[in-house]
Amino acid sequence: MSFRAHPSRRRRLALAATATLGAASLLTLAACSSSDDAGAKTTSGACPAAPVDVVVSVDQWGDLVSQLGGDCAQVSTVLASSSVDPHDYEPSPADAVKFTKAKLVVVNGADYDPWASKLAASSAKSAPVVDAGEVVGADDGANPHLWYSPDYVSKVADAVTQELETLAPDAKSYFEDQRTALTATLKPYTDLVAKLKSEAAGKTYGATEGVFDYMAQAVGLVDKTPEGFARAAANESDPSPADLKEFQTAIAAKQIDVLIYNTQTEGSIPEQVHQAAEKAGVPIVDVTETVAPGASSFEDWQVSQLTALAKALGVDA
């Protein structure tokens, strides 16, 4: 299955809140950092080397990079808001200036944020680039929502740490400690993934989009989304009436244990699927593509969604 990189026609990324995160107050994304309105993060405290200037394309990776860099990195995330669609973003001159100062650039890749790769090539020619897609072997056309794979998160974190250590060798032990600390911070997230895999593997799901697919695979869920519907969603087109009917029928027959619903996508088709699940009493788990408003960190965002998934599948989380 291929995934188009520009599904902006039906997307609404400005959210007031999500059902899974409730009305949690907005907090600083990383405990060791502070962030200005433009997404730039500054650090304070002891660091055995000059902090590395890092530019990250999207907030799905920005918080993780900030935690890995700690006081030894100044991280600026270009898209640190859910109100902007990463696929179609047009960078400003101010964004280009950020890249000129970068000593390290982190992008998602897999044709998700090509504007960032282009800016890195033109404005940060000497800076190494950690391309998550290249790190995990996801080519253009693959599902680009790489941050939903726990394995990919770990691999990208290792790659970022390696580059930081190369750029600031005097802080190598510091960065190693930060990587270890991130593993500890992510433990509630990884524990939930393991618990779901142990107790819910084999359960079935349907999805209005493929945003959550990597996580669903990680916990052993079986995708029962009709192939034609999934293909249309990935290619940002409407499914055929037959594909929609097949999905609704599968839901009504309880062939699907849980519906994964991307709240950042609008349109009558996903709404009809949502209504079918409500009518059939099939649990619905809301997810988001970008870090949800109200989430204090990457792990907070993910744990909230995984907790909702566990509840929907009858797993005690």
Side-chain angles (χ1 to χ4, degrees):
M1 182 189 302
S2 64
F3 287 77
R4 272 188 71 181
H6 303 285
S8 60
R9 179 170 59 87
R10 297 180 300 145
R11 188 172 305 278
R12 61 169 189 272
L13 289 174
L15 300 176
T18 64
T20 57
L21 287 170
S25 60
L26 288 172
L27 302 173
T28 304
L29 279 177
C32 61
S33 304
S34 62
S35 175
D36 62 21
D37 292 338
K41 296 194 173 186
T42 58
T43 57
S44 60
C47 176
V52 179
D53 289 320
V54 187
V55 172
V56 185
S57 61
V58 292
D59 66 346
Q60 294 94 318
W61 296 111
D63 175 53
L64 293 171
V65 174
S66 290
Q67 293 186 60
L68 290 167
D71 295 326
C72 281
Q74 291 185 308
V75 180
S76 178
T77 300
V78 178
L79 291 186
S81 168
S82 62
S83 64
V84 181
D85 187 343
H87 303 273
D88 295 331
Y89 182 65
E90 295 184 5
S92 67
D95 295 327
V97 172
K98 291 180 183 178
F99 279 80
T100 63
K101 299 177 181 179
K103 300 302 180 184
L104 174 64
V105 175
V106 180
V107 303
N108 186 78
D111 205 26
Y112 184 75
D113 47 4
W115 51 268
S117 297
K118 291 176 182 176
L119 270 180
S122 63
S123 301
K125 296 179 180 179
S126 62
V129 176
V130 174
D131 182 310
E134 292 181 359
V135 170
V136 306
D139 298 325
D140 288 354
N143 185 334
H145 308 105
L146 308 175
W147 55 89
Y148 267 114
S149 165
D151 182 52
Y152 290 173
V153 167
S154 180
K155 288 180 177 178
V156 172
D158 288 342
V160 170
T161 296
Q162 182 177 341
E163 289 294 349
L164 288 171
E165 290 175 358
T166 300
L167 290 165
D170 290 343
K172 181 177 181 179
S173 62
Y174 178 92
F175 290 128
E176 289 175 349
D177 289 343
Q178 291 298 111
R179 180 66 184 91
T180 300
L182 178 63
T183 297
T185 298
L186 290 177
K187 193 173 186 303
Y189 156 77
T190 53
D191 283 353
L192 260 176
V193 171
K195 188 174 182 65
L196 280 161
K197 186 173 183 179
S198 173
E199 299 184 24
K203 295 279 190 178
T204 60
Y205 79 100
T208 56
E209 273 192 60
V211 168
F212 196 73
D213 281 356
Y214 285 127
M215 181 59 76
Q217 294 163 13
V219 302
L221 300 188
V222 178
D223 189 0
K224 291 294 184 178
T225 310
E227 185 176 346
F229 187 99
R231 186 185 309 111
N235 292 327
E236 209 262 307
S237 61
D238 289 334
S240 69
D243 291 330
L244 175 58
K245 182 65 176 177
E246 182 182 358
F247 204 173
Q248 292 170 319
T249 299
I251 291 172
K254 299 293 184 69
Q255 296 171 0
I256 292 172
D257 293 316
V258 63
L259 175 68
I260 305 298
Y261 184 79
N262 180 7
T263 61
Q264 289 177 317
T265 300
E266 63 184 355
S268 65
I269 300 299
E271 288 173 2
Q272 289 180 62
V273 175
H274 191 283
Q275 291 168 3
E278 287 183 319
K279 182 177 180 180
V282 171
I284 301 168
V285 174
D286 291 343
V287 301
T288 58
E289 177 175 334
T290 60
V291 178
S296 62
S297 62
F298 174 87
E299 55 271 14
D300 177 51
W301 171 42
Q302 293 295 312
V303 165
S304 182
Q305 294 181 152
L306 289 170
T307 300
L309 179 62
K311 181 179 180 181
L313 295 173
V315 175
D316 184 10

Short mmCIF file of all heavy atoms in Angstrom, two decimals, residues 2 14 29-30 80 82 100 210 217 238 274 304 309 316-317:
data_model
loop_
_atom_site.label_atom_id
_atom_site.label_comp_id
_atom_site.label_asym_id
_atom_site.label_seq_id
_atom_site.Cartn_x
_atom_site.Cartn_y
_atom_site.Cartn_z
N SER A 2 0.54 2.20 -0.84
CA SER A 2 1.29 3.45 -0.86
C SER A 2 0.55 4.51 -0.08
O SER A 2 -0.66 4.43 0.09
CB SER A 2 1.49 3.92 -2.32
OG SER A 2 0.25 4.21 -2.91
N ALA A 14 -6.26 21.97 13.37
CA ALA A 14 -6.47 22.83 14.54
C ALA A 14 -7.47 22.16 15.46
O ALA A 14 -8.61 21.97 15.10
CB ALA A 14 -7.00 24.19 14.10
N LEU A 29 7.17 21.07 26.91
CA LEU A 29 7.33 19.76 26.32
C LEU A 29 8.47 18.96 26.91
O LEU A 29 8.45 17.75 26.92
CB LEU A 29 7.53 19.88 24.79
CG LEU A 29 6.25 20.07 23.99
CD1 LEU A 29 6.59 20.24 22.52
CD2 LEU A 29 5.29 18.93 24.19
N ALA A 30 9.48 19.60 27.38
CA ALA A 30 10.57 18.85 27.99
C ALA A 30 10.92 19.51 29.31
O ALA A 30 11.03 20.73 29.40
CB ALA A 30 11.81 18.83 27.08
N ALA A 80 5.66 23.27 15.41
CA ALA A 80 5.36 22.86 16.78
C ALA A 80 3.91 23.14 17.12
O ALA A 80 3.55 23.34 18.26
CB ALA A 80 6.28 23.59 17.75
N SER A 82 -0.32 22.08 16.04
CA SER A 82 -1.22 21.18 15.33
C SER A 82 -2.10 21.93 14.32
O SER A 82 -2.91 21.32 13.63
CB SER A 82 -2.12 20.45 16.32
OG SER A 82 -2.92 21.36 17.03
N THR A 100 20.05 27.86 8.66
CA THR A 100 21.42 28.34 8.45
C THR A 100 22.25 28.24 9.73
O THR A 100 23.47 28.14 9.68
CB THR A 100 21.43 29.81 7.97
OG1 THR A 100 20.85 30.65 8.98
CG2 THR A 100 20.67 29.96 6.66
N GLY A 210 -4.50 5.46 7.96
CA GLY A 210 -3.41 4.59 8.39
C GLY A 210 -2.44 5.22 9.37
O GLY A 210 -1.34 4.69 9.57
N GLN A 217 0.22 -2.58 14.59
CA GLN A 217 1.06 -3.73 14.28
C GLN A 217 1.96 -4.09 15.46
O GLN A 217 2.16 -5.27 15.77
CB GLN A 217 1.91 -3.44 13.04
CG GLN A 217 1.11 -3.28 11.76
CD GLN A 217 1.89 -2.58 10.66
OE1 GLN A 217 3.11 -2.43 10.73
NE2 GLN A 217 1.20 -2.16 9.62
N ASP A 238 -11.86 9.51 -2.12
CA ASP A 238 -13.03 8.89 -1.49
C ASP A 238 -13.13 7.42 -1.89
O ASP A 238 -12.95 7.08 -3.06
CB ASP A 238 -14.30 9.62 -1.90
CG ASP A 238 -14.42 11.00 -1.27
OD1 ASP A 238 -13.81 11.20 -0.19
OD2 ASP A 238 -15.10 11.86 -1.86
N HIS A 274 -17.60 6.47 11.69
CA HIS A 274 -17.71 6.73 13.13
C HIS A 274 -19.13 6.45 13.61
O HIS A 274 -19.34 5.81 14.66
CB HIS A 274 -17.32 8.19 13.39
CG HIS A 274 -17.15 8.54 14.83
ND1 HIS A 274 -18.22 8.75 15.68
CD2 HIS A 274 -16.03 8.75 15.59
CE1 HIS A 274 -17.78 9.06 16.88
NE2 HIS A 274 -16.45 9.06 16.87
N SER A 304 -1.56 8.31 26.65
CA SER A 304 -2.98 8.62 26.71
C SER A 304 -3.75 7.82 25.67
O SER A 304 -4.81 7.24 25.96
CB SER A 304 -3.19 10.12 26.51
OG SER A 304 -4.56 10.45 26.60
N LEU A 309 -6.84 2.81 24.13
CA LEU A 309 -6.90 1.57 23.36
C LEU A 309 -7.06 0.36 24.27
O LEU A 309 -7.85 -0.55 24.02
CB LEU A 309 -5.64 1.43 22.51
CG LEU A 309 -5.54 0.15 21.65
CD1 LEU A 309 -6.68 0.10 20.63
CD2 LEU A 309 -4.19 0.10 20.94
N ASP A 316 -6.55 -4.24 31.25
CA ASP A 316 -6.37 -3.41 32.44
C ASP A 316 -5.05 -2.67 32.36
O ASP A 316 -3.99 -3.27 32.48
CB ASP A 316 -6.41 -4.29 33.70
CG ASP A 316 -6.33 -3.47 34.99
OD1 ASP A 316 -6.44 -2.23 34.88
OD2 ASP A 316 -6.15 -4.06 36.05
N ALA A 317 -5.12 -1.36 32.14
CA ALA A 317 -3.91 -0.56 32.01
C ALA A 317 -3.70 0.29 33.26
O ALA A 317 -2.79 1.08 33.32
CB ALA A 317 -3.98 0.34 30.77
#
